[in-house]
Amino acid sequence: MREILGRRRRLLSRRGDSGPELISAALTFATQWQWPVLPGVAADPQGRSRCGCPDPECTVPGAHPFDPGLLAATTDARMVRWWWSNRPAAPIVLATGGKAPCAVSLPALPAARALDALDRLGIRLGPVVAAPARWSILVKPYSMEQLGELLYAKDFVPGSLRFHGEGGYLALPPSRTGQGEVRWERAPLPGSASPWVPDVEAVVDAVVEALTRTGVSAPEM
């Protein structure tokens, strides 16, 4: 384990009142649900809409891994405690895929309408993560081959759908990023074991159908 020193540490670490809540959530994800997590880079304290990473054009400020990198994601309680003890305001980043859930995300407005349509169709959903710009539906892990076959079979797939699979990542509640608060739109049951999530096929089929039936346009973002 290595401490981040100097200016980089000041950018990546921003102490605040959310520390105990964040470390508690991170420990639940890692130790109870066995979801590998790591701290994301914090938003730049000099400008909340900017990222603390070196990229001045970062499109996901405060919502991605930086130091440590994604491969450091772990379910080890000691490592999680050490990270958030030193960086108590760091966003919680899930390394998607493997034994952890993957996700399908789309822009927030059509996502809200799509969820209503999914409920009317009787599609069972698991947790749904809501960030200010995009909502993410958690799904069972899938391979790139499985996803490719699924999308190839579609006549139409909205261009703004994004897929967070093996090698991907997603900021989890109650993180706060440069774009704002990350929260649960559909929260896991409290005290439950690792939350149930649907197959990616059911979600993609239903989301595409819902967007088509309701005439919701999902603009590129």
Side-chain angles (χ1 to χ4, degrees), residues 42-114:
D44 188 336
Q46 303 303 316
R48 291 288 302 159
S49 62
R50 299 196 305 269
C51 192
C53 75
D55 182 3
E57 305 298 326
C58 181
T59 59
V60 283
H64 66 90
F66 174 53
D67 192 350
L70 186 62
L71 291 178
T74 185
T75 59
D76 182 77
R78 292 174 299 176
M79 193 72 228
V80 170
R81 287 192 183 94
W82 188 87
W83 275 332
W84 272 274
S85 295
N86 286 277
R87 296 161 58 179
I92 303 169
V93 174
L94 168 71
T96 55
K99 295 182 179 180
C102 294
V104 177
S105 72
L106 63 162
L109 179 58
R113 296 176 181 174

Side-chain angles (χ1 to χ4, degrees), residues 2 9 12 18-19 28 41 43 46 53 73 80-81 85 93 100 125 127 139-140 148 153 156 185 192 195 209 213:
R2 129 177 118 81
R9 180 177 181 183
L12 296 180
S18 58
T28 295
V41 58
Q46 303 303 316
C53 75
V80 170
R81 287 192 183 94
S85 295
V93 174
L125 294 178
V139 298
K140 291 179 181 177
F156 167 74
E185 175 63 23
S192 65
E209 182 177 357
R213 282 189 175 188

Side-chain angles (χ1 to χ4, degrees), residues 102-127:
C102 294
V104 177
S105 72
L106 63 162
L109 179 58
R113 296 176 181 174
L115 258 60
D116 288 341
L118 296 178
D119 288 340
R120 291 194 297 271
L121 291 170
I123 303 297
R124 181 187 177 192
L125 294 178

